[in-house]
Every structure is written in structure tokens, then in C-alpha cells.
Amino acid sequence: MGTTCYTCFLSLLLLLLSPFALSERCNPQDKKVLLQIKKDLNNPYLLASWNPDTDCCDWYCVTCDPKTHRINSLVMLSSVPETNLSGQIPPSVGPVPDFLAQLSNLQLIDLSFNNLSGPIPSSLSQLPNLVSLRLDRNRLTGPIPDSFGSFKKPGPSIILSHNQLSGPIPASLGQLDPQRIDLSRNKLEGDGSVLFGANKTTQMVDVSRNMLAFNLSKVEFPRSLISSDLNHNEIYGSIPVGLTAVDFLQGFNVSYNRLCGEIPQGGKLQSFDVYSYFHNKCLCGSPPPNCK
């Protein structure tokens, strides 16, 4: 190989191996959004690998689709306390970064176990491929955005537990059919029955420890339901007979409510202990004491 050809070959090889070339695999818009997130979070150590000269698909907390190389997962969570996000969220971000909605291929958002505060951005409902949204165990306030009802059906699993969310559960959520929805340990009030429905395929619903008040007698439960926790609310009425047809029910808790009447016989309802029905207004029958 002549000197000129060898030099050309070496130059080409160096170009192909350069950080700039390697970063070409990453979508430029996705990368721009991630770098903005890093900047607005004051360049935390958790995101030290987010170097603009490297491929964003190789960054910590990020995964990309193997074919399109678009970002489909962003998990800003660490088991090491020193690397967790801490301090105040800068004004330019807001509580949960609103510009996450620009990552149109995102399938998973997990910002759980942080100190995020403020409202949930309604723009998250614009993500067409989202299958899981976890914002649990933060200090989020305000209502659940009504726009969440416009998620692409069936909608993502929504985990918003252990926050300080208030107001009613949006009626629009009744349009979704997520595999799992957990709104427990908040300050939600009003009607939670919109989360259920005979034609849904939802498997887990947890709205425990809120201030919800609705008539359980009129609720139609999905046959697919595996677990439902309604404890510590102000739910009234009686347990509907339709629950006896839910064949795969493994967890059920309606304790600390205002329920009355006899627990229907059949199905899985007698397989739960008395504490699943404890502290209601006048609920009776097996497993609680028999009705007089």
C-alpha cells in the first residue's frame, strides 16, 4: 500500500473511531434534550457519563431501541445515596421535566424515590409509546392531569403512589385500560370507580389511603383483576356479587371504609382473612362475623 493510500486509510480509520462518529448512532434531538436535562439538574454526578462527545445510547440511565437508536427508557434512580438527585429542582426544569414529552419514542419513565416536588406535567400524555410511568415516592402535589386520559390506548401502567396529590381522579382515566394503576397514599378524593370496568383487562388497582368516596355496589370489576386495594378511604355501599366471578383474585382489601351488608359467598372472597374487611360500618358474613 502506497504512502498516500496508507495515510488516507489511517485518516479514515481515525475518523470512524472518533467520538463524533460514534455519537452519530444517537438521535441528535434526543441527545439535545438529555443534555438539557443534565444542565437543568445542575450536572449531578449520577449523570456524569452524559458527555456530549459520546454516544448517548451508552450513557448511564439511558437505553435505546436497538434498531432505531431512539431513546426508549430513562431511569434516573440509584441505590447509592451519594449518587441520588438531591437539592432543589431549578426553576428552568419544573418538578418533572416537561420536555420529556419531546422524547417521542420513550417507553419507560421512572423517576421514583426522589425528592421531586410540584405538579405532574400534563404534556407526558403526548408520549405515544409510553408503557410505564413511575413517579412514586416523591413530593408531587396538585391534581392528576386530566390529559392522562388521552394516552394512547390501553395506556401505560401508572404508578403515582406515596406523593401528596390532591383533587379528584380524572374521569378521563376511565378511557384507559392499563395493566396496573397505583394511586395509593395521596390525598385524592371523590370517585375512584372510573378505574374499574367489566370490559377492561387491568390486573392491579391500588387506591388505598386516600379520601375517596363512592358506591362500591355499582362497580363492575374486570375479570382479569389480580389485586385490588381500597383500604383507608370513605367508600360506602356493599361488596358487589360480581366480584365472585373474578377467578384470579389474589389480593383484596377494603378495610377502614364505610361498607355495609353481607359479603357475597363464592369466588375468592372467603379466601382473604378478616383484616381485609376490618373496620367497616356494618360489613358482615364470612370471614367477618355472621350477620345477625
Side-chain angles (χ1 to χ4, degrees):
M1 181 181 294
T3 303
T4 303
C5 291
Y6 179 81
T7 302
C8 291
F9 173 77
L10 183 60
S11 299
L12 179 61
L13 181 62
L14 289 174
L15 178 62
L16 291 173
L17 294 178
S18 68
F20 175 80
L22 289 176
S23 67
E24 289 299 310
R25 187 172 57 134
C26 175
N27 180 272
Q29 181 60 29
D30 290 357
K31 189 173 192 176
K32 180 180 178 181
V33 172
L34 290 177
L35 290 173
Q36 183 66 41
I37 292 174
K38 179 182 179 181
K39 178 182 177 181
D40 290 343
L41 291 175
N42 294 322
N43 301 311
Y45 180 74
L46 179 66
L47 307 181
S49 67
W50 291 20
N51 186 323
D53 295 327
T54 60
D55 185 356
C56 75
C57 292
D58 295 328
W59 291 354
Y60 187 65
C61 303
V62 172
T63 59
C64 292
D65 184 276
K67 293 182 179 179
T68 66
H69 305 300
R70 297 300 301 270
I71 294 169
N72 59 18
S73 175
L74 175 62
V75 181
M76 300 170 71
L77 173 67
S78 174
S79 59
V80 182
E82 289 78 7
T83 62
N84 274 344
L85 303 178
S86 62
Q88 291 187 335
I89 302 296
S92 57
V93 178
V96 176
D98 188 65
F99 42 74
L100 285 176
Q102 299 177 34
L103 303 175
S104 59
N105 276 35
L106 204 61
Q107 296 179 4
L108 166 66
I109 295 178
D110 190 342
L111 299 176
S112 56
F113 290 88
N114 283 291
N115 287 312
L116 299 175
S117 58
I120 300 173
S122 60
S123 60
L124 295 180
S125 63
Q126 299 172 15
L127 293 166
N129 298 301
L130 196 66
V131 296
S132 180
L133 174 63
R134 292 202 58 165
L135 303 177
D136 51 301
R137 297 179 186 271
N138 282 290
R139 294 183 296 168
L140 300 174
T141 56
I144 298 172
D146 185 68
S147 64
F148 275 22
S150 62
F151 272 116
K152 185 177 180 180
K153 292 184 178 181
S157 290
I158 299 175
I159 315 300
L160 307 177
S161 64
H162 294 80
N163 279 289
Q164 300 170 33
L165 301 174
S166 58
I169 295 175
S172 62
L173 290 191
Q175 303 173 42
L176 302 182
D177 187 16
Q179 182 182 55
R180 178 185 178 190
I181 186 161
D182 187 349
L183 310 179
S184 62
R185 293 180 182 268
N186 281 288
K187 300 177 181 179
L188 301 170
E189 56 189 23
D191 191 357
S193 64
V194 296
L195 304 178
F196 301 94
N199 296 322
K200 293 191 176 187
T201 59
T202 301
Q203 296 180 2
M204 300 179 68
V205 177
D206 190 345
V207 292
S208 61
R209 295 183 181 272
N210 281 287
M211 298 179 289
L212 300 174
F214 59 92
N215 189 347
L216 191 66
S217 312
K218 299 181 179 181
V219 174
E220 295 183 322
F221 289 85
R223 294 286 299 269
S224 57
L225 197 64
I226 295 175
S227 175
S228 182
D229 195 342
L230 310 177
N231 80 78
H232 284 83
N233 281 287
E234 299 174 15
I235 301 170
Y236 55 92
S238 59
I239 296 177
V241 176
L243 258 175
T244 60
V246 180
D247 300 323
F248 303 104
L249 196 63
Q250 299 175 15
F252 184 66
N253 193 336
V254 291
S255 62
Y256 290 88
N257 278 290
R258 297 167 50 198
L259 296 171
C260 270
E262 186 171 2
I263 299 172
Q265 296 291 310
K268 302 290 185 179
L269 294 180
Q270 278 67 53
S271 66
F272 307 111
D273 60 35
V274 67
Y275 298 105
S276 295
Y277 304 98
F278 199 55
H279 265 284
N280 273 284
K281 187 177 180 180
C282 48
L283 200 61
C284 60
S286 177
N290 291 328
C291 301
K292 296 181 179 179

